Amino acid sequence: MPSTAVVLALLAASARAELIRFFGEDINPNGGGNDVPPLVEAPLADAARDEFFAFLIDPLGATQNLDDLPADSFPFPGGTPAPIVLTYPDGDGGTFTATIEGAFILDEVRNGQYPISNHNYLRAPTNNWTITFDCDIVGFGFYGVDIGDVDGRLNVTLEFAMPDGDGMITLQAEHTQEASGNVLYFGFLNEDNPVREITITNVDDPDDGT
């Protein structure tokens, strides 16, 4: 079963020096098949988001729910989706951009996949997609829906901006690998090693999607 993610890119206010992860997951009690209804609330995922938001200058202003962007059709026609460019405030009166490549926007509930916001969410036609920023960021977080229901595993690879830094690191989201329609939140802060690119990959089962 393909899985989905609603993404928000967030600029940290004043993070701690070490890399900090944020994670919470809510299991859909009706997640035994493809026709699972969306969760009405996700308190554990929301708690992880709120913990992350506590470090940010303007968490609501730096959140992108994709609802003001046009949705694509499914399945995606003709190969690779066009890049999606999102704009965020930089905290100093300007803006920065995040370019998503390898994913497209859907506005329908299907196979346990649904939006966290009003109606739009991201889906990838393959198990790998990227977000590239035009400035250094030290924080990032997103909701994921219906991930791991056919034994896939979500990895988040961070490519650091500093040439003398650690290069890159892959973080694994410790979500369940059962049921359909679950909701998770995953985020990180890392002030010592700012990031320029993030790759989201679903490993272990190619049919799970991202």
Side-chain angles (χ1 to χ4, degrees):
M1 175 104 45
S3 54
T4 65
V6 176
V7 172
L8 5 129
L10 301 168
L11 185 66
S14 179
R16 301 171 188 169
E18 72 275 14
L19 189 148
I20 312 169
R21 302 192 209 193
F22 306 87
F23 180 78
E25 183 182 30
D26 295 272
I27 306 302
N28 196 316
N30 301 305
N34 288 348
D35 295 329
V36 56
L39 285 177
V40 176
E41 55 184 22
L44 298 180
D46 288 348
R49 176 206 60 193
D50 291 344
E51 185 181 4
F52 179 44
F53 275 12
F55 287 90
L56 307 182
I57 297 171
D58 181 14
L60 295 181
T63 298
Q64 173 59 256
N65 62 23
L66 307 174
D67 284 339
D68 58 345
L69 300 176
D72 295 294
S73 60
F74 180 84
F76 188 82
T80 304
I84 301 168
V85 180
L86 308 176
T87 301
Y88 297 91
D90 64 6
D92 292 320
T95 61
F96 69 97
T97 63
T99 301
I100 298 171
E101 295 186 89
F104 60 97
I105 298 173
L106 278 181
D107 63 354
E108 59 183 85
V109 176
R110 60 184 310 277
N111 295 340
Q113 305 160 24
Y114 52 89
I116 294 297
S117 58
N118 187 21
H119 56 85
N120 280 351
Y121 61 94
L122 285 178
R123 188 186 189 280
T126 67
N127 286 352
N128 185 293
W129 54 283
T130 63
I131 306 171
T132 304
F133 302 93
D134 69 352
C135 70
D136 298 350
I137 67 160
V138 296
F140 174 83
F142 63 92
Y143 279 99
V145 179
D146 197 45
I147 294 174
D149 60 325
V150 290
D151 297 325
R153 174 65 65 188
L154 188 70
N155 283 355
V156 180
T157 299
L158 314 178
E159 184 172 327
F160 299 122
M162 294 165 27
D164 57 347
D166 297 328
M168 62 178 59
I169 187 174
T170 296
L171 310 177
Q172 188 173 85
E174 299 299 325
H175 58 79
T176 61
Q177 291 180 285
E178 59 184 30
S180 184
N182 298 339
V183 174
L184 65 82
Y185 188 88
F186 182 89
F188 80 90
L189 291 174
N190 190 2
E191 192 173 33
D192 275 358
N193 277 317
V195 170
R196 277 295 180 102
E197 184 171 286
I198 296 169
T199 300
I200 297 177
T201 307
N202 206 331
V203 298
D204 293 342
D205 192 317
D207 293 326
D208 201 29
T210 53

